[in-house]
Amino acid sequence: MSVLEDLKLQYKIGSISIRLVFWNVLLYVIPEVIFALLKLFKVNINYLNFVSVSTTFSDLAWKPWSIVSYSFFHSGVLHLIFNMLMLYYVGRLFITFFTQKQLLGVYLLGAIFSGAVFIASYAFLPALTPISTQMIGASGSIMAILFATTSYQPFMDVRLFGVFKMKLWHIAFVLVFFDLIQLPLENTGGHLAHIAGAVFGYIYIVLLKRGTDLTSGVNSFIDFIANLFNKKDSTKFRKVYVNPKKQAEKRESKIVTKDKAQQQIDEILDKISKSGYDSLTKEEKEFLFNAGK
């Protein structure tokens, strides 16, 4: 199995947090490579201008998608690595208690809420009103996921770097504390967006406990769009005459084959859940990859 096939398999069987990491990494690597090559032909385009959320309302008017797209792009390798490690880590904690669709919904809504607070802060706060700037990064969404999990299970034990045992609320408190003390120093809008993400995560859980899931509307819209692309062309009904005895034998043999294959898939997935993907043998990885085609 090649490296590419291995990555495709991990994406296919991975959780939504894994897929979000893949999307963020690809949306950093691919544009960086393309526009670096274009510079050889003296074509200089700052693609981040098209995806970053801006404090200028006129910019938001011509790129309304930026209120979400900014949360999938990053300004540098270190920025990307830190955010993706955080996303992978807090995503796993979130899925312990909630669904994958809820995680995606919190990620997107956390981005919108953080972006809106970022824009509003530069429009109304006296210390920021003369300044025009832009923002990219998944930090606001990640803080929303972290604080949603923390608000639901604050005393959950977490091992930091596999060594230090801490309560989940300790980690959340430290992160938001650093944002608070850095507000007057630098990147004020960015830190406000982080805090806004944390606030949204808390609000999400409060409303969820009262019976309102804010992510339901977002996920219904995503499902609607996905179904538009997954619709198959309807075919006219054709009546086919077959030998009932042969058809029954054929159907029985297919069921047996499917059951055996499914049993092997279930065993491999169970092994992944207990020991991780790296515990699989080369043959098991290839089998799972071929089964997913």
Side-chain angles (χ1 to χ4, degrees), residues 86 90 141-151 168 171-172 175:
M86 283 289 295
V90 302
S141 296
I142 294 168
M143 289 291 279
I145 296 170
L146 172 61
F147 270 78
T149 312
T150 305
S151 300
L168 184 56
I171 298 173
L175 290 176

Side-chain angles (χ1 to χ4, degrees), residues 45-67 69 119 132-134:
I45 301 175
N46 185 2
Y47 69 93
L48 293 179
N49 285 333
F50 298 94
V51 295
S52 58
V53 64
S54 173
T55 56
T56 306
F57 286 102
S58 59
D59 283 348
L60 189 63
W62 72 264
K63 51 174 184 176
W65 59 83
S66 64
I67 196 68
S69 63
I119 295 169
S132 176
T133 186
Q134 297 179 333

Side-chain angles (χ1 to χ4, degrees), residues 157-219:
D157 287 325
V158 177
R159 286 199 176 274
L160 214 56
F161 309 113
V163 179
F164 306 105
K165 188 176 180 181
M166 301 177 67
K167 299 295 181 184
L168 184 56
W169 77 266
H170 295 160
I171 298 173
F173 173 80
V174 169
L175 290 176
V176 80
F177 175 75
F178 276 117
D179 278 316
L180 285 169
I181 64 174
Q182 292 183 81
L183 279 177
L185 303 178
E186 59 178 358
N187 190 24
T188 302
H191 293 300
L192 283 171
H194 297 173
I195 296 169
V199 171
F200 176 81
Y202 172 75
I203 293 173
Y204 172 73
I205 295 301
V206 170
L207 293 178
L208 187 65
K209 288 180 177 179
R210 295 178 182 175
T212 302
D213 187 350
L214 293 176
T215 65
S216 58
V218 175
N219 287 313

Side-chain angles (χ1 to χ4, degrees), residues 88-128:
Y88 173 75
Y89 186 71
V90 302
R92 290 181 62 184
L93 296 178
F94 183 92
I95 292 174
T96 304
F97 308 104
F98 306 103
T99 67
Q100 312 232 15
K101 284 189 173 183
Q102 285 174 314
L103 189 148
L104 178 59
V106 171
Y107 185 97
L108 296 174
L109 290 176
I112 294 171
F113 188 81
S114 298
V117 169
F118 173 76
I119 295 169
S121 65
Y122 279 87
F124 300 110
L125 291 180
L128 301 177

